[in-house]
């Protein structure tokens, strides 16, 4: 599909949100949905100022990465699924911690991490901002907000922007986290501008983020 430039003079409609849409009934219907999805991605890049060659290269790389991630489900994922299923048959309070889960548990116990101070979630192919930690770097910058979508991550002031659409959430988070004092650049789709708005690049200096809202609290009620 990307070998030839799309005809943007043809009037066609594509909705990225398919939560309430009907399932495709045939392979040809499914192929048409993929064509429209790809054309929509290409149009967004053209509108943001990219030429066709750059659009073609970025989207080809994006979907090769997406395909690779789908096909390369990690052994650790399978092992964690099996072990948690096995453990909870015998004790619903027992969980297996993969290395990534163990790291997140340690962060929860310490109530601190080094990063930008944003809680992220998977939103289809996108890494979306679920919440902003009060007092963190993202909060103080006023550049990142809830429901913004992160589509690219770069290290430092001149590092190469890595397209993270279609990435697993934990892999995207690894790129965004980093040592305090270092710079991370994010390419985002701002929620306030809508799904078809051109991307915006922001720069945030990582800091140690205190997760005080997750701390246990006590209160005496009279």
């Amino acid at each position: 599909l990307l070998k030839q430039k799309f005809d943007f003079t043809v009037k066609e409609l594509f909705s990225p949100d398919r939560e309430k849409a009907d399932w495709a009934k045939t392979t040809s219907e499914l192929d048409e949905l993929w064509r429209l999805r790809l054309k929509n991605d290409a149009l967004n890049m053209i509108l943001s100022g990219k030429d066709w060659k750059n659009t073609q290269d970025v989207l080809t790389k994006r979907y090769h990465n997406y395909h690779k991630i789908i096909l390369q489900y990690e052994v650790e994922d399978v092992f964690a699924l099996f072990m948690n299923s096995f453990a909870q048959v015998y004790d619903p309070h027992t969980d297996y911690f993969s290395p990534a889960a163990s790291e997140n548990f340690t962060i929860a116990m310490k109530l601190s991490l080094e990063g930008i101070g944003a809680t992220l979630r998977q939103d289809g192919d996108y890494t979306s901002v679920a919440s902003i930690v009060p007092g963190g770097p993202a909060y103080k910058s006023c550049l990142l907000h809830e429901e913004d979508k992160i589509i690219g991550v770069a290290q430092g002031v001149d590092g190469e922007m890595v397209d993270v659409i279609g990435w697993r959430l934990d892999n995207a988070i690894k790129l965004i986290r980093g040592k305090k004092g270092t710079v991370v650049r994010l390419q985002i789709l701002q929620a306030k501008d809508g799904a078809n708005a051109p991307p915006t690049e922001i720069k945030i200096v990582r800091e140690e983020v205190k997760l005080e809202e997750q701390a246990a609290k006590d209160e005496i009620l009279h």
Side-chain angles (χ1 to χ4, degrees), residues 20-32:
K20 297 181 180 178
D22 294 331
W23 292 93
K25 295 181 176 65
T26 64
T27 303
S28 59
E29 284 185 21
L30 198 57
D31 289 342
E32 177 64 6

Side-chain angles (χ1 to χ4, degrees), residues 25 30 48 80 84 86 102 104 108 119 130 133 150 157 193 204 213:
K25 295 181 176 65
L30 198 57
S48 70
N84 275 301
F86 177 81
S102 179
N104 289 331
T119 303
V133 178
I150 299 173
V157 295
D193 295 333
I204 297 177
E213 75 280 2

Side-chain angles (χ1 to χ4, degrees), residues 81-199:
L81 179 62
F82 175 80
M83 290 302 297
N84 275 301
S85 300
F86 177 81
Q88 292 185 24
V89 166
Y90 294 97
D91 179 10
H93 305 291
T94 298
D95 291 283
Y96 165 76
F97 278 179
S98 66
S102 179
E103 180 183 355
N104 289 331
F105 181 76
T106 300
I107 288 171
M109 291 296 98
K110 291 170 59 181
L111 293 176
S112 69
L113 59 84
E114 292 183 352
I116 64 171
T119 303
L120 306 177
R121 61 180 174 83
Q122 195 80 45
D123 183 7
D125 293 337
Y126 295 99
T127 298
S128 292
V129 179
S131 63
I132 301 294
V133 178
Y139 178 87
K140 289 187 285 188
S141 74
C142 297
L143 298 174
L144 193 65
H145 305 89
E146 289 185 14
E147 302 304 325
D148 286 351
K149 292 179 172 61
I150 299 173
I151 63 173
V153 183
Q155 309 301 325
V157 295
D158 56 2
E160 180 183 358
M161 188 66 67
V162 178
D163 185 289
V164 296
I165 293 180
W167 278 39
R168 288 164 51 114
L169 180 61
D170 53 353
N171 289 338
I173 288 174
K174 286 178 184 176
L175 283 186
I176 297 170
R177 284 180 184 168
K179 293 184 177 181
K180 63 179 180 181
T182 59
V183 172
V184 62
R185 297 187 348 266
L186 304 176
Q187 196 173 50
I188 63 172
L189 299 176
Q190 295 181 315
K192 66 181 181 66
D193 295 333
N196 293 319

Side-chain angles (χ1 to χ4, degrees), residues 8 35 40 58 67 76 114 137 141 144 167 182 191 195 200 206:
F8 295 115
R35 184 188 70 81
N40 182 68
V58 170
H67 189 230
E76 183 58 50
E114 292 183 352
S141 74
L144 193 65
W167 278 39
T182 59
T200 302
R206 299 179 178 103

Side-chain angles (χ1 to χ4, degrees), residues 2-3 6 37-38 40-46 48-67 126 151-153 160-167 187 189 199:
L2 288 169
K3 290 179 180 178
F6 290 110
R37 169 178 167 154
L38 197 58
N40 182 68
D41 287 347
L43 181 59
N44 283 334
M45 296 196 67
I46 295 293
S48 70
K50 301 288 193 301
D51 59 24
W52 174 249
K53 180 64 171 64
N54 188 261
T55 297
Q56 188 181 44
D57 290 344
V58 170
L59 290 182
T60 299
K61 185 177 180 180
R62 175 186 299 175
Y63 280 91
H64 274 305
N65 285 337
Y66 183 59
H67 189 230
Y126 295 99
I151 63 173
V153 183
E160 180 183 358
M161 188 66 67
V162 178
D163 185 289
V164 296
I165 293 180
W167 278 39
Q187 196 173 50
L189 299 176

